Amino acid sequence: MTTLRRSILSVPGHRVSMHEKATASAADIVMLDLEDSCPPAEKEAARETIAHSILHLDWQNKTLCLRINDLAGPFALQDILTLIPKIGKHIDTLVVPKVETAAQIHYLDHLLTALNCDVGIEPIIESAKALRDAPEISQASPRIRCLVFGIADYSASINMPLSSISGHGENDGIYPGDPLHFVYSRLILCGKAEGLKVIDAPYGNFRDPAGLKISAARSRALGFDGKWCIHPAQIEEVNAAFSPTPEEIERAEQVLSAFKQALADGRGAAAIGDSMIDQASVRMAEDVMARAKASK
Ligand code: GLV
Ligand code: MG
């Protein structure tokens, strides 16, 4: 069964108390972070803290990921060489920030192979260059499991004003529509074309459940598979947004049964109430049922 990636809780690598809290959370994935939430002076000690947490805390079957530092910077190589031999077997993916080229992913893939580690890779797309080259990046390694949108760095890279680490819900009305709509759609297109999951950036205001609900529902409406969470309080809402509702499940069951009957009667389409359904509706219904099963 594929790994659920509805909610990805990001926790700073150097804060062991947050690791402990994360073990008790309902997040599908916990991502231990060595990059931007971990200050440069803490990076070396954080590697030890992360290794200790991964090996010794009770993660209750949670999927774990590790965000390393930027491959082009001074810390990433040591992150990999120190941690992969120790905890490579216990993590699902390396989350790779600020990926700029497919060549960086090739380099990482070779390095992991040399370390005899079969861990997956999650590139974060967070610059104009990465968004432009997203098709090549998405195809750069069979290890890639999903694409992640890094909203804050992306906004910085194109000089777009943003008041917190999330642009979601911050539209001040100056630009008609969602200024990031093209970005979301391109990422979803590039990821899905390669059969990858595509994960949205977090909602920055962790004390605004109503705003989070809208933000997560919009992500889901566009085809995102999950969303980062920057606080445990966001997980429940995000899991709900990316799980089928009872109404969606009921409708999917109706579609599957109506279409089965249509086929038995020699028809290629059927009506449910005033709506026509066909083979494409069946594919959507099957997706709903698969997600419902996985979300249990
Ligand atoms: C995440 O890394 C972001 O830049 O939003
Ligand atoms: Mg970033």
Side-chain angles (χ1 to χ4, degrees):
M1 196 172 75
T2 57
T3 305
L4 268 181
R5 295 194 124 78
R6 297 169 304 177
S7 53
I8 297 92
L9 178 65
S10 165
V11 288
H14 60 303
R15 302 281 300 276
V16 75
S17 61
M18 291 194 180
H19 305 177
E20 282 156 3
K21 277 194 194 123
T23 62
S25 77
D28 288 335
I29 311 251
V30 175
M31 185 190 80
L32 296 136
D33 184 26
L34 279 167
E35 203 222 8
D36 282 353
S37 69
C38 180
E42 299 284 346
K43 302 244 190 229
E44 202 176 323
R47 292 183 193 123
E48 297 309 314
T49 309
I50 286 176
H52 190 272
S53 290
I54 290 181
L55 295 175
H56 298 293
L57 295 182
D58 176 6
W59 292 100
Q60 312 185 36
N61 295 327
K62 279 191 181 37
T63 300
L64 300 178
C65 297
L66 170 68
R67 180 162 75 165
I68 56 172
N69 285 284
D70 171 8
L71 287 170
F75 301 110
L77 184 59
Q78 214 47 52
D79 294 342
I80 296 164
L81 296 180
T82 307
L83 283 172
I84 287 298
K86 287 186 190 162
I87 53 95
K89 282 202 290 292
H90 301 275
I91 57 173
D92 185 54
T93 55
L94 283 185
V95 180
V96 189
K98 300 183 178 60
V99 171
E100 290 280 278
T101 63
Q104 288 181 314
I105 300 291
H106 297 152
Y107 157 78
L108 179 60
D109 185 314
H110 291 310
L111 195 52
L112 292 169
T113 302
L115 291 169
N116 199 20
C117 177
D118 63 3
V119 74
I121 294 177
E122 289 187 44
I124 309 186
I125 303 298
E126 48 185 350
S127 69
K129 193 165 184 315
L131 189 68
R132 185 194 66 191
D133 294 345
E136 292 75 20
I137 293 171
S138 310
Q139 294 169 30
S141 162
R143 293 175 187 266
I144 298 182
R145 307 265 158 85
C146 56
L147 295 183
V148 180
F149 179 42
I151 196 169
D153 278 302
Y154 178 79
S155 303
S157 96
I158 62 161
N159 196 19
M160 181 186 228
L162 199 67
S163 60
S164 81
I165 61 170
S166 161
H168 297 293
E170 287 180 359
N171 192 342
D172 51 17
I174 291 174
Y175 183 82
D178 184 337
L180 288 166
H181 182 79
F182 169 75
V183 180
Y184 306 140
S185 296
R186 177 163 173 82
L187 267 182
I188 289 163
L189 173 77
C190 295
K192 302 279 167 145
E194 297 306 319
L196 304 174
K197 288 200 157 71
V198 185
I199 308 299
D200 195 14
Y203 184 72
N205 184 341
F206 56 88
R207 293 211 172 87
D208 176 16
L212 172 65
K213 192 178 174 117
I214 294 170
S215 166
R218 285 184 184 157
S219 307
R220 171 70 202 117
L222 280 173
F224 279 110
D225 297 286
K227 193 167 173 63
W228 274 16
C229 299
I230 45 157
H231 193 284
Q234 298 183 317
I235 294 167
E236 202 180 320
E237 200 66 76
V238 169
N239 281 347
F242 291 95
S243 304
T245 61
E247 294 74 31
E248 284 174 311
I249 295 170
E250 196 185 332
R251 167 84 186 169
E253 284 167 345
Q254 278 175 358
V255 167
L256 293 175
S257 116
F259 195 74
K260 200 168 157 200
Q261 187 58 51
L263 281 187
D265 297 344
R267 289 177 286 118
I272 299 181
D274 294 335
S275 311
M276 288 306 288
I277 59 153
D278 68 3
Q279 193 63 58
S281 325
V282 169
R283 283 190 279 275
M284 286 184 260
E286 284 170 347
D287 173 62
V288 169
M289 297 310 287
R291 287 190 297 111
K293 194 166 165 218
S295 304
K296 271 187 191 146

